[in-house]
């Protein structure tokens, strides 16, 4: 593995697999990141130290931070050790431990944690399954991926987001196998985006704004193939972003605030190319963040709480550059983004009324603000020796 040693503190970043496709040659991997080490939920955030320690900040009223007692924190708290992946949703979260067991915490009203029974909240991590690879937390449902490529679903399936040819208004609290040969996936408010091992995009669930890219607004209860050559996906509240293996970014769905980056605010019912030279993508509720191969960060969409990080609170319908020298970005933040720069410093911007940026305030930030190491109250950060790993498994 190639290693880069920074001065100061940083985070272990595991990179996308399957990156030997043109623009993802070995010389270009430095800017590729994944959602297992920087994760932003609805109003909470996580990062992983390279020693496996998990830290969290922000809203915790449903126990979504796990183990912590207060309903809210405005600086990073140490939560757990021996963690290799973290996946945050609106009000619930999943973590992956080094033994490949998947654990869940937070809102479980519809059984979305997959614990076997529904409950108002789960405030301490509970083991869900073995041999896990990753998870994705939708609003009130979840998808879980095992290392054998099987995809499992739990929670509410009222719009067909499980992709198993059924719908139900009653939550399912025990994970159900719904698909095989899956590489990665993401969940929106009530829909699912899946990339299979052939690179095909499969979609299911709610489609009222065209977020499934099927050409119409009809819901889909069976996983349906839409486009090919896909590397990764990111789902917002009602819009979808697809990153292809050639680095082009494609968008479909709701566009009220310009979150698709098409230059207007008209919804799209089919995927349309909006950007190139992209290596990573993150969707918030109504905005989009893209990391380019040259380390520049680009944003578009809703900006009432500074979620674009451009120094204004004005919505944008085209992608604009807001940062450079970026190494990694958080994934699927509600209205905020956490960024790791190449020098190992951590930055954040956007909504912060629950302390989700972790900078010891609850003030929104419309420009990137550095999250100082002293905001993270834990003795093992004092002598931390940062290592960034550039090749790994998604």
């Amino acid at each position: 593995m190639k290693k880069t040693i920074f001065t100061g503190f940083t985070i272990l970043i595991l990179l996308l697999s399957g990156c030997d496709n043109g623009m993802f040659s070995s010389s270009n991997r430095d800017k590729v990141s994944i959602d297992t080490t920087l994760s932003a939920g609805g109003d909470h955030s996580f990062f992983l130290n390279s020693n496996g320690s998990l830290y969290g900040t922000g809203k915790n009223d449903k126990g979504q931070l796990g183990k912590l007692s207060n309903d809210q924190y405005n600086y990073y708290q140490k939560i757990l050790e021996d963690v290799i992946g973290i996946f945050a949703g609106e009000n619930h979260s999943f973590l992956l431990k080094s033994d490949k067991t998947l654990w869940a915490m937070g809102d479980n009203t519809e059984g979305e944690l997959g614990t076997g029974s529904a409950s108002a909240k789960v405030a301490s991590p509970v083991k869900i399954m073995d041999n896990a690879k990753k998870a994705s937390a939708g609003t009130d449902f979840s998808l879980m991926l095992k290392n054998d490529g099987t995809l499992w679903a739990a929670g509410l399936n009222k719009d067909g987001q499980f992709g198993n040819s059924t719908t139900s208004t009653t939550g399912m609290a025990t994970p159900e196998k719904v698909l095989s040969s899956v590489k990665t996936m993401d969940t929106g408010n009530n829909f699912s985006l899946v990339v299979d091992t052939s690179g095909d995009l499969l979609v299911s669930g709610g489609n009222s704004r065209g977020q499934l890219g099927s050409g119409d607004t009809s819901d889909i209860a069976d996983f349906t193939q839409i486009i090919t050559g896909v590397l990764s996906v990111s789902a917002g509240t009602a819009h979808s972003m697809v990153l292809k293996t050639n680095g082009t970014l494609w968008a479909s769905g709701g566009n009220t605030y310009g979150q698709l980056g098409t230059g207007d605010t008209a919804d799209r019912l089919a995927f349309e190319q909006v950007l190139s030279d992209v290596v990573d993508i993150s969707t918030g509720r109504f905005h989009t963040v893209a990391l380019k191969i040259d380390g520049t960060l680009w944003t578009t969409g809703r900006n009432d709480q500074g979620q674009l990080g451009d120094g204004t609170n004005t919505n944008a319908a085209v992608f604009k550059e807001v940062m450079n020298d970026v190494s990694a970005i958080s994934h699927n933040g509600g209205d905020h983004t956490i960024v790791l720069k190449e020098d190992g410093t951590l930055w954040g911007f956007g909504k912060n009324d629950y302390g989700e940026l972790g900078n010891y305030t609850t003030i929104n930030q419309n420009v990137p603000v550095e999250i100082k190491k002293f905001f993270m109250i834990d003795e093992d950060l004092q002598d931390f020796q940062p290592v960034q790993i550039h090749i790994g498994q998604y």
Side-chain angles (χ1 to χ4, degrees):
M1 289 186 179
K2 177 182 175 183
K3 297 182 179 180
T4 300
I5 306 298
F6 297 115
T7 60
F9 111 97
T10 190
I11 300 163
L12 172 67
I13 303 297
L14 303 179
L15 305 187
L16 290 164
S17 63
C19 294
D20 293 318
N21 299 290
M23 71 174 297
F24 294 105
S25 63
S26 58
S27 61
N28 292 328
R29 286 186 178 126
D30 289 7
K31 304 297 188 297
V32 186
S33 68
I34 100 163
D35 53 313
T36 61
T37 52
L38 285 170
S39 189
D43 297 296
H44 62 295
S45 305
F46 294 99
F47 80 83
L48 277 178
N49 233 345
S50 64
N51 61 5
S53 297
L54 177 66
Y55 293 80
T57 187
K59 192 175 182 180
N60 191 43
D61 61 323
K62 298 290 186 179
Q64 55 265 56
L65 293 181
K67 286 197 170 182
L68 301 182
S69 57
N70 294 344
D71 284 349
Q72 180 179 332
Y73 295 87
N74 60 15
Y75 60 91
Y76 282 94
Q77 305 275 328
K78 186 175 181 179
I79 298 171
L80 205 62
E81 296 181 343
D82 196 33
V83 179
I84 62 171
I86 182 67
F87 315 94
E90 183 71 21
N91 290 306
H92 67 292
S93 311
F94 292 91
L95 60 90
L96 185 66
K97 300 194 80 172
S98 61
D99 62 0
K100 304 301 174 64
T101 56
L102 185 69
W103 298 67
M105 61 257 193
D107 188 10
N108 195 34
T109 306
E110 301 292 345
E112 54 262 52
L113 299 186
T115 59
S117 61
S119 57
K121 68 177 184 180
V122 174
S124 187
V126 174
K127 181 181 173 181
I128 304 302
M129 63 174 55
D130 296 312
N131 194 33
K133 183 177 181 181
K134 67 174 294 186
S136 182
T139 299
D140 46 24
F141 78 105
S142 305
L143 296 180
M144 308 157 197
L145 179 61
K146 288 193 172 187
N147 282 299
D148 62 2
T150 57
L151 187 67
W152 301 69
L156 198 60
N157 187 34
K158 65 182 179 65
D159 297 300
Q161 51 263 58
F162 285 12
N164 62 350
S165 305
T166 69
T167 60
S168 176
T169 57
T170 302
M172 178 180 296
T174 300
E176 174 184 323
K177 181 181 173 181
V178 295
L179 201 61
S180 298
S181 301
V182 173
K183 176 184 176 183
T184 190
M185 75 289 187
D186 199 21
T187 52
N189 178 48
N190 64 341
F191 65 100
S192 302
L193 306 177
V194 172
V195 183
D196 69 14
T197 53
S198 297
D200 294 339
L201 173 67
L202 309 176
V203 301
S204 69
N207 194 31
S208 61
R209 304 293 296 276
Q211 57 263 45
L212 300 186
S214 59
D216 57 38
T217 56
S218 299
D219 294 350
I220 298 175
D222 295 283
F223 279 113
T224 301
Q225 191 254 358
I226 301 296
I227 55 177
T228 62
V230 176
L231 181 67
S232 64
V233 289
S234 188
T237 297
H239 74 289
S240 301
M241 307 300 292
V242 170
L243 178 59
K244 288 197 169 189
T245 55
N246 62 2
T248 57
L249 184 64
W250 298 67
S252 187
N255 197 28
T256 302
Y257 303 99
Q259 57 263 48
L260 300 186
T262 56
D264 56 49
T265 55
D267 292 358
R268 296 298 195 274
L269 305 184
F271 284 98
E272 178 178 314
Q273 183 179 340
V274 294
L275 215 55
S276 59
D277 298 325
V278 177
V279 294
D280 203 8
I281 184 69
S282 175
T283 51
R285 291 187 179 103
F286 304 105
H287 74 285
T288 303
V289 180
L291 176 61
K292 285 198 170 189
I293 201 163
D294 62 359
T296 56
L297 192 69
W298 299 68
T299 60
T300 188
R302 191 172 186 176
N303 198 28
D304 60 320
Q305 303 191 74
Q307 50 266 60
L308 299 189
D310 65 351
T312 77
N313 291 91
T314 303
N315 300 340
V318 293
F319 282 96
K320 59 174 68 176
E321 182 181 343
V322 296
M323 291 184 75
N324 54 30
D325 299 323
V326 174
S327 178
I329 56 177
S330 61
H331 290 76
N332 298 351
D335 296 301
H336 68 290
T337 300
I338 307 297
V339 173
L340 177 68
K341 297 198 74 174
E342 291 175 351
D343 63 2
T345 56
L346 197 66
W347 298 70
F349 55 87
K351 182 173 174 286
N352 194 35
D353 54 352
Y354 290 100
E356 50 263 54
L357 297 185
N359 67 337
Y360 230 106
T361 77
T362 54
I363 300 171
N364 295 348
Q365 302 289 335
N366 65 10
V367 294
V369 57
E370 185 177 357
I371 302 168
K372 303 288 187 180
K373 185 171 74 172
F374 57 79
F375 291 150
M376 304 169 195
I377 310 302
D378 192 82
E379 65 279 1
D380 71 356
L381 286 174
Q382 301 305 312
D383 300 315
F384 182 59
Q385 296 297 316
V387 176
Q388 185 175 23
I389 300 177
H390 294 280
I391 302 175
Q393 181 69 28
Y394 194 103

